[in-house]
Amino acid sequence: MSGSPPAVSRLLVVATGPGGLRLRQACAELGLTAILASGSAEALVARALEAGCEALHPGEGEAVEQLALAEACRRAGLRFLGSPAPLLAAMAEGGGMRRRMREAGLPLASAVAGREVRMSLLADGQGRVVYLAPRQRLHEALSVAPLDWLTAERSTYLGRLAGQGVAALGLTGLVEVRFRVEGNRPGFAAMAPGPTGDEALDEALTGLDPVVEQLRVLLGGRLRERQSRLAQHGHARLWRLSLPPEAGLSGGPGLRLDRARGEASARLLAWGRRAEEARYRAWRGLVELLGEAQATRLTLI
């Protein structure tokens, strides 16, 4: 008799806007039916059961929100497609995850503010962990990768440190590890459950879609990629925007707009072989979507 969890074909995804769009597309790639919804944890679980869903995905929620969903799913006997509740609790509390990472041998960031580096990692729970491109949120609306001030050697070092910590947790799925770098000294700062909304950067730079891969491993699959095959190519910039109804993008090289039909919230991805090419393409897209005045304001922040 197999001990494998029951198959999932229909799931409720707690998301709206671009995040919901990307998760619905990822589900479609895997042959899954996704129902998008928002609301309180208990209401979402009730809706999932009423709709005949076998599982619930927490979307891009913060750790404390995902913890509430995980506990509501446990009480209702509904499968939760995310990090385990104890790890979500440690992420939400902060100090608990820092203790776990210290026990795993990672240096900890000091209280002094330093430059923050974020990195997504995928783990299949069967011993394979891969890290993706280091990135930085320059401000609330913009994330960039790779980082011109972080050498390839330091990026590899941070990835290996993050992989060491994630492997020690034994988790399955997608998480974001955050470091603070002061001078040459990196230290673990925090961990957040994935996806976080920055995954398009990884997709552009490596060709791997972390959102699809997260679903695959949470449903029992093994990671298909090895670290040695995840080479990064080019530069990418991701803008989070609120667009007027009439705004549209004609496309062109290195530009992608994720926007659910009828919604203002959107994400603009610009990619280029060189950093200046990615910046120019981002500028071109912003001008087309928002006009030159607002594009200038955004690119000067």
Side-chain angles (χ1 to χ4, degrees):
M1 183 174 177
S2 172
S4 301
V8 171
S9 62
R10 187 178 178 88
L11 65 156
L12 185 132
V13 176
V14 184
T16 58
L21 174 67
R22 287 297 296 116
L23 277 158
R24 186 173 60 208
Q25 292 167 340
C27 287
E29 284 200 29
L30 297 174
L32 306 172
T33 299
I35 298 173
L36 304 186
S38 59
S40 69
E42 298 295 341
L44 287 164
V45 168
R47 180 168 180 184
L49 295 173
E50 290 168 3
C53 297
E54 299 99 353
L56 179 147
H57 188 289
E60 298 177 0
E62 298 288 338
V64 66
E65 298 166 346
Q66 294 202 23
L67 178 59
L69 286 165
E71 292 176 338
C73 285
R74 178 186 55 79
R75 291 191 293 269
L78 181 66
R79 188 171 174 184
F80 178 74
L81 293 180
S83 298
L87 293 184
L88 289 171
M91 293 181 205
E93 190 267 332
M97 188 54 68
R98 284 170 62 85
R99 287 191 295 273
R100 288 175 183 244
M101 291 298 97
R102 182 177 59 204
E103 291 167 1
L106 272 67
L108 300 184
S110 70
V112 178
R115 289 186 287 190
E116 186 180 71
V117 178
R118 302 183 178 199
M119 183 180 292
S120 287
L121 290 96
L122 283 157
D124 62 12
Q126 302 176 56
R128 185 171 292 179
V129 179
V130 295
Y131 59 86
L132 302 176
R135 59 180 178 260
Q136 189 174 18
R137 285 201 175 182
L138 298 185
H139 52 75
E140 188 176 290
L142 175 63
S143 295
V144 300
L147 308 178
D148 56 9
W149 54 269
L150 196 65
T151 66
E153 292 76 14
R154 299 299 285 173
S155 294
T156 298
Y157 175 64
L158 287 179
R160 289 175 177 170
L161 272 184
Q164 177 181 324
V166 168
L169 297 176
L171 62 78
T172 300
L174 176 68
V175 293
E176 180 185 75
V177 175
R178 300 171 184 173
F179 292 97
R180 284 201 299 271
V181 180
E182 300 164 29
N184 275 331
R185 183 182 181 278
F188 172 83
M191 184 180 293
T196 64
D198 283 343
E199 286 72 28
L201 293 170
D202 294 310
E203 186 181 347
L205 295 174
T206 68
L208 179 143
D209 184 344
V211 182
V212 170
E213 289 303 304
Q214 182 207 27
L215 284 167
R216 283 190 66 260
V217 298
L218 287 172
L219 293 173
R222 289 208 66 181
L223 280 175
R224 296 175 292 182
E225 295 293 342
R226 295 186 181 275
Q227 193 67 56
S228 59
R229 294 206 295 258
L230 289 175
Q232 299 168 31
H233 301 284
H235 296 257
R237 303 171 77 81
L238 182 68
W239 291 92
R240 298 164 196 82
L241 305 169
S242 181
L243 300 178
E246 68 277 8
L249 184 69
S250 59
L255 282 179
R256 183 178 106 194
L257 183 68
D258 289 336
R259 183 188 190 185
R261 187 184 301 274
E263 296 193 14
S265 180
R267 292 171 187 160
L268 175 69
L269 175 74
W271 176 89
R273 290 169 298 173
R274 298 175 298 277
E276 58 271 22
E277 188 174 48
R279 288 192 190 97
Y280 169 73
R281 289 173 172 175
W283 160 257
R284 176 165 57 83
L286 290 168
V287 168
E288 186 173 354
L289 289 167
L290 299 170
E292 189 167 340
Q294 194 166 351
T296 299
R297 183 184 64 82
L298 283 173
T299 53
L300 289 177
I301 294 176

